[in-house]
Amino acid sequence: MTVPTAGHSTESLTTWLAERIALYLKREPADIDPDVPLAEYGLDSVAALSLCGDIEDDFDLVMEPTIAWDYPTVRALVGHLVEELAADTAQGGGA
């Protein structure tokens, strides 16, 4: 499924998130299942806060620091990012 959100698709966001999470967890991106809760991989609060910062920096969005717990899987987090990016684009923003 491709969603026009300032040039980001669901697939590209899933890949980006898996790569970032894999980096923090010292795993391969292919090992990150989009439906497995991030906590099951051992994502801690420091890594979650860093991930939040990465999202803010790379996509020019303001995220709550609890995002990894509010959207506990890659798939859930991507869904939220798609909504946020679409809303940002609709308001004339965009990355």
Side-chain angles (χ1 to χ4, degrees):
M1 173 181 160
T2 301
V3 179
T5 52
H8 302 289
S9 67
T10 301
E11 183 178 307
S12 71
L13 290 169
T14 300
T15 299
W16 183 89
L17 271 173
E19 288 172 353
R20 299 306 306 166
I21 291 164
L23 177 71
Y24 290 124
L25 299 176
K26 297 177 175 52
R27 294 176 179 246
E28 291 298 318
D31 294 341
I32 306 298
D33 183 322
D35 295 311
V36 172
L38 300 175
E40 286 188 25
Y41 287 117
L43 190 77
D44 61 16
S45 58
V46 173
L49 196 55
S50 296
L51 180 63
C52 180
D54 289 343
I55 292 168
E56 290 180 345
D57 291 346
D58 286 10
F59 301 105
D60 198 29
L61 295 172
V62 176
M63 295 281 111
E64 292 295 321
T66 58
I67 192 166
W69 283 267
D70 295 339
Y71 304 93
T73 66
V74 169
R75 190 173 314 281
L77 191 47
V78 165
H80 179 67
L81 287 177
V82 165
E83 290 174 7
E84 291 293 315
L85 289 166
D88 190 55
T89 300
Q91 294 174 3

